[in-house]
Amino acid sequence: MKVCVVGTGYVGLVAGTCFAEYGNDVICIDKDEKKISDLKTGIIPIYEPGLSELVERNYKEGRLKFSTSLKDGVESSEFVFIAVGTPTSDNGSADLRFVFAVAEEVGKTMNGHKIIVDKSTVPVGTADKVKEIVAKNTKYSFDVVSNPEFLKEGAAIEDFMRPERVVIGAESDHAAKKMSELYSPFVLNGNPIITMSIRSAELTKYACNAFLATKISFVNEIANLCDALGANYDDVRKGMGTDSRIGRQFLYAGIGYGGSCFPKDVRALLRTAEEVNAPMHIIQSVEDVNEKQKTRLTDKIFQHFKSTDMKGKTFGIWGLSFKPGTDDMREAPSIPLIYELHKNGAKIQVFDPAAMETSKYYFDGKVEYKKDAYSTLEGADAMLLLTEWREFREPDFAKIKSLLKAPLIFDGRNQYKPTLMQELGFTYYSIGNR
């Protein structure tokens, strides 16, 4: 099938590449000339394991093309996926300017019937507006479909190639049938393609992310309670996770969620609910708890040193990205923590396996970048673990101890066992474990 994907950001590039990998003819469109030029030479604008190899192979074999011409993409394709950014506006709603601009240009360049697919995460009712915009700018028939993405950064290729489910919101049987045909090679394992109304599909994406965010904020509050009561959250987590109604996933306590999806989608859902006078008190609490949780480790640092004055103190930080497997720094818990320590006079030495360059937008001038994890600890008063990269899970603790001024670790991701840390002679702080 012939597919046009508008937007070569995280969602668009992954989707376009994976469609091409399964034999479709795909053209990815972006108005950023440098990005398109880089993609043609194998330079990938995002960090995602396995993506570079797939892009290179499919581009060389001619199934994957890159262009700045939306007209060429629309005219040569049956499907037009809109996968542009929907950043958060000042009032918390999703900014849909880019979506609507693409819709207008798609309408103007159509040369026949098209299936226009909202792949970007958009509020309920967006497809209706896209339909109105396209209709004003074309004489041809078309379908608008909602097809939300459910990709995890760091595992996006696997998620797209072997989805747990494909959600399709469509008004016409024709559009639903064609979308099902497009996705059928991806669900040969028997996982479902679920067809529903467009508005239901739009809401499904937000409902999923808000629920997962709710689990994270809930367990973080339980972990904080463990700190206050002298309980061990890791034991509580195991007890909860064996309940089949709850499940084991998303029960790990820490310093809050970040990234491009959960914060933005929670706020957009709250804004949507506000607009229709259907307030969501639980989801508002999820947002409030998460913002507070990002300061949890900073509070422990200040309590340990019995002061907020960090002048003369040096901290070695492992991990900057909001999660392992990505260079994404959006809403990362490391940002408010480092800002707070820097504001209070601390010297900060950092290392991240993937996000060093990305993080300069936030931290340039505030931190000292190191070549590896251990060099961040040289002369440091404490080690802070903020992102649970695999290479941080079983470090050389003897080496860590020799590099630090004092054997002090603040673990924002509960990676290490408190009993082991005590045996090794560390003063160890985590979230809810002891």
Side-chain angles (χ1 to χ4, degrees):
M1 295 184 174
K2 297 186 181 300
V3 178
C4 170
V5 179
V6 186
T8 58
Y10 187 82
V11 174
L13 188 57
V14 170
T17 303
C18 290
F19 280 136
E21 178 71 6
Y22 273 61
N24 298 288
D25 291 324
V26 180
I27 181 167
C28 289
I29 308 297
D30 202 293
K31 64 181 180 180
D32 187 329
E33 293 184 2
K34 183 179 186 306
K35 184 184 285 189
I36 292 299
S37 177
D38 285 346
L39 284 166
K40 289 179 178 179
T41 58
I43 300 173
I44 308 300
I46 59 175
Y47 177 86
E48 178 61 37
L51 181 59
S52 180
E53 295 83 355
L54 284 183
V55 170
E56 182 178 2
R57 178 168 69 245
N58 284 280
Y59 181 72
K60 285 183 176 179
E61 294 179 3
R63 291 188 298 271
L64 182 63
K65 300 179 179 66
F66 300 104
S67 175
T68 57
S69 174
L70 181 60
K71 183 175 185 293
D72 290 347
V74 172
E75 289 183 345
S76 64
S77 302
E78 178 180 5
F79 300 89
V80 180
F81 282 77
I82 301 177
V84 295
T86 55
T88 301
S89 299
D90 292 340
N91 65 3
S93 63
D95 185 344
L96 300 175
R97 286 177 298 165
F98 304 119
V99 172
F100 296 155
V102 171
E104 181 177 354
E105 193 168 349
V106 168
K108 291 177 178 178
T109 55
M110 282 170 56
N111 59 341
H113 184 276
K114 306 293 177 183
I115 297 175
I116 301 166
V117 186
D118 281 335
K119 194 66 175 172
S120 303
T121 300
V122 293
V124 176
T126 300
D128 295 336
K129 296 176 183 176
V130 167
K131 186 177 179 180
E132 291 175 9
I133 292 169
V134 175
K136 288 178 181 178
N137 290 279
T138 188
K139 64 181 180 181
Y140 296 103
S141 64
F142 62 92
D143 287 288
V144 174
V145 172
S146 175
N147 174 221
E149 55 86 11
F150 298 97
L151 306 179
K152 299 186 295 292
E153 293 191 39
I157 302 299
E158 178 70 15
D159 287 345
F160 200 99
M161 295 288 205
R162 298 172 182 82
E164 290 184 328
R165 76 295 201 193
V166 175
V167 172
I168 297 169
E171 291 181 341
S172 75
D173 292 339
H174 169 76
K177 182 172 182 280
K178 296 299 291 185
M179 288 292 292
S180 295
E181 289 174 2
L182 179 63
Y183 274 105
S184 60
F186 297 89
V187 292
L188 295 178
N189 57 4
N191 284 347
I193 294 176
I194 306 170
T195 303
M196 59 184 70
S197 72
I198 292 176
R199 288 195 165 217
S200 296
E202 290 172 331
L203 184 55
T204 296
K205 166 68 174 181
Y206 282 104
C208 287
N209 279 356
F211 182 78
L212 296 176
T214 300
K215 288 186 76 172
I216 294 171
S217 284
F218 176 82
V219 301
N220 280 336
E221 286 211 307
I222 294 296
N224 295 343
L225 185 59
C226 286
D227 275 336
L229 296 176
N232 189 308
Y233 177 71
D234 196 46
D235 293 335
V236 175
R237 175 183 61 81
K238 292 173 184 175
M240 291 173 61
T242 51
D243 188 324
S244 61
R245 298 167 300 175
I246 297 173
R248 293 181 172 86
Q249 292 186 313
F250 286 83
L251 293 185
Y252 292 93
I255 49 176
Y257 60 75
S260 62
C261 292
F262 285 6
K264 177 172 69 72
D265 292 354
V266 166
R267 290 168 194 155
L269 185 59
L270 286 169
R271 181 63 179 173
T272 297
E274 181 182 321
E275 289 173 351
V276 295
N277 196 29
M280 305 184 76
H281 304 295
I282 291 175
I283 304 304
Q284 182 61 63
S285 295
V286 168
E287 165 82 354
D288 296 341
V289 168
N290 190 64
E291 289 306 300
K292 179 62 177 174
Q293 194 69 17
K294 291 180 180 181
T295 68
R296 185 69 178 170
L297 210 61
T298 319
D299 293 342
K300 289 176 179 279
I301 292 169
F302 293 159
Q303 289 167 9
H304 173 84
F305 288 105
K306 297 180 174 59
S307 174
T308 59
D309 184 359
M310 295 291 110
K311 291 177 183 175
K313 298 288 189 296
T314 300
F315 295 95
I317 291 180
W318 286 14
L320 300 171
S321 58
F322 86 93
K323 63 177 282 188
T326 181
D327 64 348
D328 198 337
M329 287 293 302
R330 286 172 288 186
E331 305 277 351
S334 63
I335 297 172
L337 184 146
I338 288 175
Y339 281 9
E340 188 69 13
L341 291 179
H342 178 264
K343 183 182 74 174
N344 284 278
K347 178 184 177 184
I348 304 164
Q349 302 170 168
V350 303
F351 173 76
D352 186 284
M356 299 283 267
E357 191 62 34
T358 310
S359 71
K360 289 179 181 178
Y361 173 81
Y362 302 92
F363 301 140
D364 204 16
K366 295 180 174 64
V367 303
E368 181 179 347
Y369 291 95
K370 295 293 187 176
K371 64 180 179 179
D372 58 50
Y374 291 108
S375 61
T376 70
L377 306 182
E378 294 175 357
D381 292 274
M383 166 186 155
L384 279 59
L385 188 140
L386 305 185
T387 312
E388 64 274 33
W389 287 90
R390 288 180 181 175
E391 62 192 76
F392 299 160
R393 291 184 183 178
E394 294 188 357
D396 184 338
F397 287 110
K399 187 173 183 178
I400 290 174
K401 200 171 182 180
S402 70
L403 292 169
L404 291 170
K405 288 182 183 177
L408 175 61
I409 295 177
F410 293 89
D411 182 355
R413 297 299 179 185
N414 290 355
Q415 288 296 283
Y416 310 129
K417 294 182 179 179
T419 53
L420 175 62
M421 295 296 96
Q422 292 167 9
E423 290 172 7
L424 294 175
F426 284 93
T427 300
Y428 176 73
Y429 295 91
S430 59
I431 309 297
N433 287 340
R434 60 183 62 226

